[in-house]
Amino acid sequence: FRLKVLVIPDRLAETIPRRLERECSLIPRRAFFRLPWGQVSDPGSRFENMVACQLLKYCHFLEDTQGYRMDLRFIRDIDKREVDFVVLRDKKPLFAVEAKTGAKALSKHIPYFTSRNVVPKIYQVHLHAREQLYPEVNAHLLPWIKFCEIMSMP
């Protein structure tokens, strides 16, 4: 049994440039995450659920402590290329996160979205020790623990 997030797309975000409205959409993550996420049997789904829950906690923490209007979404284009999570602060993309259990290479969708200036910074997180910067596409492949340290996640 693989439980992922239940997504209900509603409308384009106001932050996407007009020329990209037909190509990309920031779709709200109206989701029911499996809690506790440790009960999910598939390792990839379990990791993605853990990342989703932590990012949602991060958004709530910033709303409660700093007063920002935070939102957790994902981004997908008409060709079904997507990045798992996009964190918005006051309706503007702050960063995106792609969750992978392996750390072999950067996802092929990341350069596509960074080339269109949809999200300023994209992180691909994983469970291994490998870390690599990709300055040409403004992306960072890094372990999940290191990402949490960088973002000062609660």
Side-chain angles (χ1 to χ4, degrees), residues 13 15-17 19-20 24-27 73-76 82-89 91-98 109-124 136-140:
T15 58
I16 296 179
R19 65 184 167 76
L20 295 176
C24 305
S25 59
L26 288 169
I27 302 168
R73 298 180 180 221
F74 74 97
I75 190 166
R76 180 173 53 207
E82 73 173 45
V83 175
D84 294 333
F85 307 101
V86 177
V87 175
L88 301 170
R89 180 172 64 194
K91 297 184 179 180
K92 291 186 170 60
L94 193 58
F95 62 88
V97 177
E98 177 72 18
H109 300 162
I110 290 175
Y112 174 80
F113 287 113
T114 56
S115 69
R116 282 154 178 75
N117 297 320
V118 177
V119 180
K121 180 78 174 176
I122 298 184
Y123 299 94
Q124 182 171 316
E136 65 278 3
V137 292
N138 203 16
H140 196 170

Short mmCIF file of all heavy atoms in Angstrom, two decimals, residues 13 15-17 19-20 24-27 73-76 82-89 91-98 109-124 136-140:
data_model
loop_
_atom_site.label_atom_id
_atom_site.label_comp_id
_atom_site.label_asym_id
_atom_site.label_seq_id
_atom_site.Cartn_x
_atom_site.Cartn_y
_atom_site.Cartn_z
N ALA A 13 -0.95 30.07 -9.29
CA ALA A 13 -0.50 31.02 -8.27
C ALA A 13 -0.29 32.38 -8.91
O ALA A 13 0.05 32.49 -10.08
CB ALA A 13 0.81 30.53 -7.65
N THR A 15 2.04 34.30 -8.43
CA THR A 15 3.46 34.63 -8.52
C THR A 15 4.12 34.18 -9.80
O THR A 15 5.26 34.50 -10.04
CB THR A 15 4.20 33.99 -7.33
OG1 THR A 15 3.97 32.59 -7.38
CG2 THR A 15 3.72 34.56 -6.03
N ILE A 16 3.46 33.43 -10.62
CA ILE A 16 4.07 32.94 -11.85
C ILE A 16 4.00 34.03 -12.92
O ILE A 16 2.96 34.64 -13.12
CB ILE A 16 3.35 31.67 -12.35
CG1 ILE A 16 3.54 30.56 -11.33
CG2 ILE A 16 3.87 31.24 -13.70
CD1 ILE A 16 2.86 29.29 -11.71
N PRO A 17 5.12 34.30 -13.58
CA PRO A 17 5.10 35.31 -14.64
C PRO A 17 4.06 34.98 -15.69
O PRO A 17 3.78 33.82 -15.97
CB PRO A 17 6.51 35.22 -15.23
CG PRO A 17 7.34 34.61 -14.16
CD PRO A 17 6.43 33.72 -13.37
N ARG A 19 3.96 34.96 -18.87
CA ARG A 19 4.35 34.13 -20.01
C ARG A 19 4.39 32.65 -19.66
O ARG A 19 4.38 31.81 -20.54
CB ARG A 19 5.69 34.57 -20.56
CG ARG A 19 6.83 34.38 -19.61
CD ARG A 19 8.13 34.93 -20.17
NE ARG A 19 9.14 35.01 -19.16
CZ ARG A 19 9.83 33.97 -18.69
NH1 ARG A 19 9.61 32.77 -19.18
NH2 ARG A 19 10.74 34.12 -17.76
N LEU A 20 4.44 32.31 -18.37
CA LEU A 20 4.54 30.91 -17.97
C LEU A 20 3.21 30.33 -17.50
O LEU A 20 3.14 29.17 -17.14
CB LEU A 20 5.57 30.74 -16.86
CG LEU A 20 7.01 31.05 -17.22
CD1 LEU A 20 7.89 30.93 -16.00
CD2 LEU A 20 7.49 30.13 -18.30
N CYS A 24 3.45 26.32 -16.54
CA CYS A 24 3.71 25.83 -15.19
C CYS A 24 2.63 26.31 -14.24
O CYS A 24 2.07 27.38 -14.41
CB CYS A 24 5.04 26.37 -14.67
SG CYS A 24 6.43 26.02 -15.73
N SER A 25 2.37 25.52 -13.24
CA SER A 25 1.45 25.97 -12.20
C SER A 25 1.96 25.52 -10.84
O SER A 25 2.48 24.42 -10.70
CB SER A 25 0.04 25.45 -12.45
OG SER A 25 0.03 24.05 -12.49
N LEU A 26 1.82 26.41 -9.88
CA LEU A 26 2.11 26.07 -8.50
C LEU A 26 0.81 25.60 -7.88
O LEU A 26 -0.09 26.39 -7.64
CB LEU A 26 2.64 27.30 -7.74
CG LEU A 26 4.05 27.74 -8.10
CD1 LEU A 26 4.34 29.10 -7.50
CD2 LEU A 26 5.05 26.73 -7.63
N ILE A 27 0.70 24.33 -7.65
CA ILE A 27 -0.56 23.74 -7.22
C ILE A 27 -0.51 23.52 -5.72
O ILE A 27 0.46 22.96 -5.21
CB ILE A 27 -0.82 22.42 -7.96
CG1 ILE A 27 -0.83 22.69 -9.47
CG2 ILE A 27 -2.12 21.78 -7.51
CD1 ILE A 27 -0.79 21.46 -10.33
N ARG A 73 3.36 23.98 -1.61
CA ARG A 73 2.78 23.57 -2.89
C ARG A 73 3.76 22.68 -3.63
O ARG A 73 4.85 22.43 -3.16
CB ARG A 73 2.46 24.79 -3.74
CG ARG A 73 1.43 25.71 -3.12
CD ARG A 73 1.16 26.90 -3.98
NE ARG A 73 0.16 27.75 -3.34
CZ ARG A 73 -0.82 28.33 -3.99
NH1 ARG A 73 -0.95 28.19 -5.29
NH2 ARG A 73 -1.68 29.08 -3.35
N PHE A 74 3.36 22.23 -4.80
CA PHE A 74 4.30 21.58 -5.70
C PHE A 74 4.14 22.24 -7.05
O PHE A 74 3.18 22.97 -7.30
CB PHE A 74 4.10 20.07 -5.75
CG PHE A 74 2.89 19.60 -6.52
CD1 PHE A 74 3.00 19.18 -7.82
CD2 PHE A 74 1.65 19.57 -5.91
CE1 PHE A 74 1.89 18.74 -8.53
CE2 PHE A 74 0.53 19.13 -6.59
CZ PHE A 74 0.65 18.72 -7.90
N ILE A 75 5.11 22.03 -7.91
CA ILE A 75 5.06 22.67 -9.22
C ILE A 75 5.06 21.59 -10.29
O ILE A 75 5.78 20.60 -10.20
CB ILE A 75 6.24 23.66 -9.40
CG1 ILE A 75 6.05 24.49 -10.66
CG2 ILE A 75 7.57 22.95 -9.39
CD1 ILE A 75 6.95 25.67 -10.74
N ARG A 76 4.20 21.80 -11.30
CA ARG A 76 4.09 20.85 -12.41
C ARG A 76 3.76 21.63 -13.67
O ARG A 76 3.02 22.61 -13.64
CB ARG A 76 3.00 19.82 -12.10
CG ARG A 76 2.82 18.81 -13.20
CD ARG A 76 1.87 17.70 -12.85
NE ARG A 76 0.59 18.20 -12.38
CZ ARG A 76 -0.21 17.54 -11.55
NH1 ARG A 76 0.15 16.38 -11.06
NH2 ARG A 76 -1.36 18.05 -11.21
N GLU A 82 7.59 17.71 -12.71
CA GLU A 82 7.24 18.32 -11.43
C GLU A 82 8.39 18.28 -10.44
O GLU A 82 9.32 17.51 -10.58
CB GLU A 82 6.01 17.66 -10.82
CG GLU A 82 6.21 16.29 -10.25
CD GLU A 82 4.98 15.78 -9.52
OE1 GLU A 82 3.86 15.93 -10.04
OE2 GLU A 82 5.15 15.22 -8.43
N VAL A 83 8.29 19.16 -9.46
CA VAL A 83 9.16 19.17 -8.29
C VAL A 83 8.24 18.98 -7.10
O VAL A 83 7.17 19.61 -7.02
CB VAL A 83 9.97 20.48 -8.20
CG1 VAL A 83 10.77 20.54 -6.92
CG2 VAL A 83 10.90 20.61 -9.40
N ASP A 84 8.64 18.11 -6.17
CA ASP A 84 7.76 17.66 -5.09
C ASP A 84 7.18 18.77 -4.23
O ASP A 84 5.99 18.76 -3.92
CB ASP A 84 8.50 16.67 -4.18
CG ASP A 84 8.84 15.38 -4.89
OD1 ASP A 84 8.12 15.02 -5.84
OD2 ASP A 84 9.83 14.74 -4.50
N PHE A 85 8.00 19.72 -3.81
CA PHE A 85 7.53 20.74 -2.87
C PHE A 85 8.07 22.11 -3.22
O PHE A 85 9.24 22.24 -3.59
CB PHE A 85 7.98 20.41 -1.44
CG PHE A 85 7.59 19.03 -1.01
CD1 PHE A 85 8.51 18.01 -1.02
CD2 PHE A 85 6.30 18.74 -0.61
CE1 PHE A 85 8.17 16.72 -0.64
CE2 PHE A 85 5.93 17.46 -0.24
CZ PHE A 85 6.88 16.44 -0.26
N VAL A 86 7.23 23.13 -3.10
CA VAL A 86 7.64 24.52 -3.23
C VAL A 86 7.10 25.25 -2.01
O VAL A 86 5.91 25.19 -1.71
CB VAL A 86 7.09 25.18 -4.51
CG1 VAL A 86 7.50 26.65 -4.58
CG2 VAL A 86 7.57 24.44 -5.74
N VAL A 87 8.00 25.92 -1.28
CA VAL A 87 7.61 26.69 -0.11
C VAL A 87 7.44 28.14 -0.54
O VAL A 87 8.34 28.73 -1.13
CB VAL A 87 8.66 26.56 1.02
CG1 VAL A 87 8.32 27.46 2.18
CG2 VAL A 87 8.76 25.11 1.47
N LEU A 88 6.26 28.70 -0.28
CA LEU A 88 5.95 30.08 -0.62
C LEU A 88 5.90 30.92 0.65
O LEU A 88 5.34 30.49 1.66
CB LEU A 88 4.60 30.18 -1.32
CG LEU A 88 4.43 29.41 -2.61
CD1 LEU A 88 2.97 29.41 -3.04
CD2 LEU A 88 5.29 29.99 -3.69
N ARG A 89 6.46 32.12 0.58
CA ARG A 89 6.35 33.08 1.67
C ARG A 89 5.70 34.33 1.10
O ARG A 89 6.22 34.93 0.16
CB ARG A 89 7.72 33.41 2.26
CG ARG A 89 7.63 34.43 3.41
CD ARG A 89 8.93 34.62 4.11
NE ARG A 89 9.92 35.18 3.20
CZ ARG A 89 11.22 35.20 3.46
NH1 ARG A 89 11.69 34.68 4.57
NH2 ARG A 89 12.05 35.74 2.60
N LYS A 91 3.13 34.53 -0.81
CA LYS A 91 2.77 34.20 -2.19
C LYS A 91 3.93 34.23 -3.18
O LYS A 91 3.72 34.19 -4.38
CB LYS A 91 1.66 35.12 -2.70
CG LYS A 91 0.37 34.99 -1.94
CD LYS A 91 -0.69 35.85 -2.57
CE LYS A 91 -2.01 35.69 -1.83
NZ LYS A 91 -3.06 36.51 -2.41
N LYS A 92 5.17 34.28 -2.69
CA LYS A 92 6.34 34.25 -3.57
C LYS A 92 7.16 33.00 -3.27
O LYS A 92 7.40 32.67 -2.11
CB LYS A 92 7.18 35.50 -3.34
CG LYS A 92 6.50 36.76 -3.82
CD LYS A 92 7.43 37.94 -3.70
CE LYS A 92 6.91 39.17 -4.36
NZ LYS A 92 5.71 39.71 -3.95
N PRO A 93 7.60 32.29 -4.30
CA PRO A 93 8.41 31.08 -4.07
C PRO A 93 9.70 31.41 -3.33
O PRO A 93 10.44 32.30 -3.72
CB PRO A 93 8.71 30.57 -5.47
CG PRO A 93 7.71 31.21 -6.36
CD PRO A 93 7.36 32.52 -5.72
N LEU A 94 9.93 30.68 -2.26
CA LEU A 94 11.14 30.85 -1.45
C LEU A 94 12.20 29.83 -1.88
O LEU A 94 13.34 30.18 -2.16
CB LEU A 94 10.78 30.67 0.02
CG LEU A 94 11.75 31.09 1.08
CD1 LEU A 94 12.12 32.55 0.94
CD2 LEU A 94 11.16 30.83 2.46
N PHE A 95 11.80 28.56 -1.94
CA PHE A 95 12.66 27.49 -2.41
C PHE A 95 11.81 26.28 -2.74
O PHE A 95 10.64 26.22 -2.37
CB PHE A 95 13.74 27.13 -1.37
CG PHE A 95 13.20 26.62 -0.07
CD1 PHE A 95 12.94 25.27 0.13
CD2 PHE A 95 12.97 27.49 0.98
CE1 PHE A 95 12.45 24.80 1.34
CE2 PHE A 95 12.48 27.03 2.20
CZ PHE A 95 12.22 25.69 2.38
N ALA A 96 12.42 25.34 -3.45
CA ALA A 96 11.74 24.09 -3.80
C ALA A 96 12.58 22.92 -3.31
O ALA A 96 13.79 23.04 -3.16
CB ALA A 96 11.54 24.00 -5.31
N VAL A 97 11.90 21.80 -3.07
CA VAL A 97 12.58 20.60 -2.58
C VAL A 97 12.10 19.39 -3.38
O VAL A 97 10.89 19.18 -3.52
CB VAL A 97 12.29 20.37 -1.08
CG1 VAL A 97 12.95 19.07 -0.60
CG2 VAL A 97 12.76 21.54 -0.23
N GLU A 98 13.04 18.64 -3.90
CA GLU A 98 12.77 17.37 -4.55
C GLU A 98 13.31 16.29 -3.63
O GLU A 98 14.48 16.32 -3.24
CB GLU A 98 13.47 17.31 -5.92
CG GLU A 98 13.32 16.03 -6.66
CD GLU A 98 11.93 15.79 -7.23
OE1 GLU A 98 11.14 16.74 -7.37
OE2 GLU A 98 11.63 14.63 -7.53
N HIS A 109 14.26 17.34 -13.98
CA HIS A 109 13.24 18.40 -13.95
C HIS A 109 13.75 19.68 -13.30
O HIS A 109 13.21 20.75 -13.56
CB HIS A 109 11.99 17.91 -13.23
CG HIS A 109 11.37 16.71 -13.87
ND1 HIS A 109 10.49 15.90 -13.23
CD2 HIS A 109 11.51 16.17 -15.12
CE1 HIS A 109 10.11 14.92 -14.02
NE2 HIS A 109 10.72 15.07 -15.18
N ILE A 110 14.74 19.57 -12.46
CA ILE A 110 15.25 20.74 -11.74
C ILE A 110 15.81 21.80 -12.70
O ILE A 110 15.43 22.96 -12.62
CB ILE A 110 16.24 20.32 -10.65
CG1 ILE A 110 15.47 19.60 -9.53
CG2 ILE A 110 17.02 21.51 -10.11
CD1 ILE A 110 16.32 19.02 -8.43
N PRO A 111 16.71 21.46 -13.62
CA PRO A 111 17.21 22.48 -14.55
C PRO A 111 16.10 23.10 -15.40
O PRO A 111 16.15 24.28 -15.74
CB PRO A 111 18.21 21.73 -15.43
CG PRO A 111 18.61 20.55 -14.64
CD PRO A 111 17.42 20.19 -13.80
N TYR A 112 15.10 22.32 -15.73
CA TYR A 112 13.98 22.84 -16.52
C TYR A 112 13.29 24.00 -15.79
O TYR A 112 13.04 25.05 -16.38
CB TYR A 112 12.98 21.72 -16.81
CG TYR A 112 11.72 22.20 -17.48
CD1 TYR A 112 11.70 22.45 -18.84
CD2 TYR A 112 10.56 22.42 -16.76
CE1 TYR A 112 10.55 22.91 -19.47
CE2 TYR A 112 9.41 22.87 -17.37
CZ TYR A 112 9.41 23.11 -18.72
OH TYR A 112 8.28 23.57 -19.32
N PHE A 113 12.98 23.82 -14.51
CA PHE A 113 12.27 24.86 -13.76
C PHE A 113 13.18 26.03 -13.39
O PHE A 113 12.73 27.18 -13.38
CB PHE A 113 11.60 24.28 -12.52
CG PHE A 113 10.38 23.46 -12.85
CD1 PHE A 113 10.37 22.10 -12.63
CD2 PHE A 113 9.25 24.04 -13.41
CE1 PHE A 113 9.25 21.32 -12.95
CE2 PHE A 113 8.14 23.29 -13.74
CZ PHE A 113 8.15 21.93 -13.50
N THR A 114 14.44 25.77 -13.10
CA THR A 114 15.32 26.90 -12.78
C THR A 114 15.60 27.75 -14.01
O THR A 114 15.78 28.96 -13.89
CB THR A 114 16.65 26.42 -12.15
OG1 THR A 114 17.28 25.51 -13.03
CG2 THR A 114 16.43 25.80 -10.80
N SER A 115 15.62 27.14 -15.20
CA SER A 115 15.85 27.92 -16.41
C SER A 115 14.69 28.87 -16.72
O SER A 115 14.84 29.83 -17.45
CB SER A 115 16.09 26.99 -17.61
OG SER A 115 14.91 26.31 -17.95
N ARG A 116 13.54 28.60 -16.16
CA ARG A 116 12.37 29.44 -16.38
C ARG A 116 12.12 30.42 -15.23
O ARG A 116 11.11 31.09 -15.18
CB ARG A 116 11.13 28.57 -16.59
CG ARG A 116 11.13 28.02 -17.99
CD ARG A 116 10.39 26.73 -18.11
NE ARG A 116 10.37 26.27 -19.48
CZ ARG A 116 11.41 25.73 -20.11
NH1 ARG A 116 12.55 25.60 -19.51
NH2 ARG A 116 11.30 25.32 -21.36
N ASN A 117 13.06 30.47 -14.28
CA ASN A 117 12.99 31.41 -13.15
C ASN A 117 11.69 31.30 -12.37
O ASN A 117 11.14 32.30 -11.91
CB ASN A 117 13.21 32.85 -13.61
CG ASN A 117 14.58 33.06 -14.19
OD1 ASN A 117 15.55 32.52 -13.68
ND2 ASN A 117 14.65 33.80 -15.27
N VAL A 118 11.18 30.10 -12.22
CA VAL A 118 9.96 29.89 -11.46
C VAL A 118 10.26 29.87 -9.97
O VAL A 118 9.53 30.44 -9.18
CB VAL A 118 9.26 28.58 -11.89
CG1 VAL A 118 8.03 28.33 -11.07
CG2 VAL A 118 8.90 28.65 -13.36
N VAL A 119 11.35 29.23 -9.59
CA VAL A 119 11.76 29.10 -8.19
C VAL A 119 13.22 29.54 -8.07
O VAL A 119 14.05 29.13 -8.87
CB VAL A 119 11.62 27.64 -7.71
CG1 VAL A 119 12.02 27.49 -6.27
CG2 VAL A 119 10.20 27.15 -7.91
N PRO A 120 13.55 30.41 -7.08
CA PRO A 120 14.92 30.92 -7.00
C PRO A 120 15.97 29.87 -6.63
O PRO A 120 17.08 29.92 -7.12
CB PRO A 120 14.84 32.00 -5.92
CG PRO A 120 13.59 31.75 -5.19
CD PRO A 120 12.67 31.02 -6.11
N LYS A 121 15.63 28.91 -5.78
CA LYS A 121 16.61 27.91 -5.33
C LYS A 121 15.91 26.56 -5.20
O LYS A 121 14.80 26.49 -4.68
CB LYS A 121 17.19 28.33 -3.99
CG LYS A 121 18.20 27.40 -3.39
CD LYS A 121 19.54 27.54 -4.05
CE LYS A 121 20.57 26.69 -3.31
NZ LYS A 121 21.85 26.70 -3.94
N ILE A 122 16.55 25.51 -5.68
CA ILE A 122 15.98 24.16 -5.57
C ILE A 122 16.99 23.25 -4.87
O ILE A 122 18.18 23.26 -5.19
CB ILE A 122 15.61 23.57 -6.95
CG1 ILE A 122 14.55 24.44 -7.62
CG2 ILE A 122 15.12 22.14 -6.80
CD1 ILE A 122 14.03 23.91 -8.95
N TYR A 123 16.47 22.51 -3.90
CA TYR A 123 17.27 21.52 -3.18
C TYR A 123 16.75 20.14 -3.54
O TYR A 123 15.54 19.93 -3.58
CB TYR A 123 17.13 21.70 -1.67
CG TYR A 123 17.60 23.04 -1.16
CD1 TYR A 123 16.70 24.10 -1.00
CD2 TYR A 123 18.93 23.26 -0.83
CE1 TYR A 123 17.12 25.32 -0.54
CE2 TYR A 123 19.35 24.48 -0.36
CZ TYR A 123 18.45 25.51 -0.22
OH TYR A 123 18.86 26.73 0.25
N GLN A 124 17.67 19.22 -3.80
CA GLN A 124 17.29 17.82 -3.92
C GLN A 124 17.87 17.12 -2.71
O GLN A 124 19.09 17.08 -2.52
CB GLN A 124 17.82 17.20 -5.21
CG GLN A 124 17.39 15.74 -5.36
CD GLN A 124 17.73 15.19 -6.73
OE1 GLN A 124 17.52 15.85 -7.74
NE2 GLN A 124 18.28 14.00 -6.76
N GLU A 136 25.30 26.23 -11.98
CA GLU A 136 24.76 26.61 -13.29
C GLU A 136 23.24 26.56 -13.33
O GLU A 136 22.61 27.23 -14.14
CB GLU A 136 25.36 25.74 -14.41
CG GLU A 136 25.00 24.26 -14.33
CD GLU A 136 25.86 23.43 -13.37
OE1 GLU A 136 26.73 23.99 -12.69
OE2 GLU A 136 25.63 22.21 -13.32
N VAL A 137 22.62 25.77 -12.45
CA VAL A 137 21.16 25.71 -12.39
C VAL A 137 20.62 26.12 -11.01
O VAL A 137 19.45 25.95 -10.72
CB VAL A 137 20.62 24.30 -12.75
CG1 VAL A 137 20.88 24.00 -14.21
CG2 VAL A 137 21.19 23.23 -11.85
N ASN A 138 21.50 26.68 -10.17
CA ASN A 138 21.13 27.14 -8.83
C ASN A 138 20.44 26.04 -8.02
O ASN A 138 19.37 26.24 -7.44
CB ASN A 138 20.25 28.38 -8.91
CG ASN A 138 20.30 29.19 -7.63
OD1 ASN A 138 21.19 29.00 -6.81
ND2 ASN A 138 19.34 30.07 -7.46
N ALA A 139 21.05 24.87 -8.02
CA ALA A 139 20.50 23.72 -7.30
C ALA A 139 21.56 23.14 -6.38
O ALA A 139 22.76 23.34 -6.57
CB ALA A 139 20.02 22.66 -8.27
N HIS A 140 21.08 22.42 -5.38
CA HIS A 140 21.97 21.84 -4.38
C HIS A 140 21.47 20.44 -4.05
O HIS A 140 20.34 20.27 -3.62
CB HIS A 140 21.94 22.73 -3.13
CG HIS A 140 23.06 22.47 -2.18
ND1 HIS A 140 23.29 23.30 -1.11
CD2 HIS A 140 24.00 21.51 -2.10
CE1 HIS A 140 24.32 22.85 -0.42
NE2 HIS A 140 24.76 21.76 -1.00
#
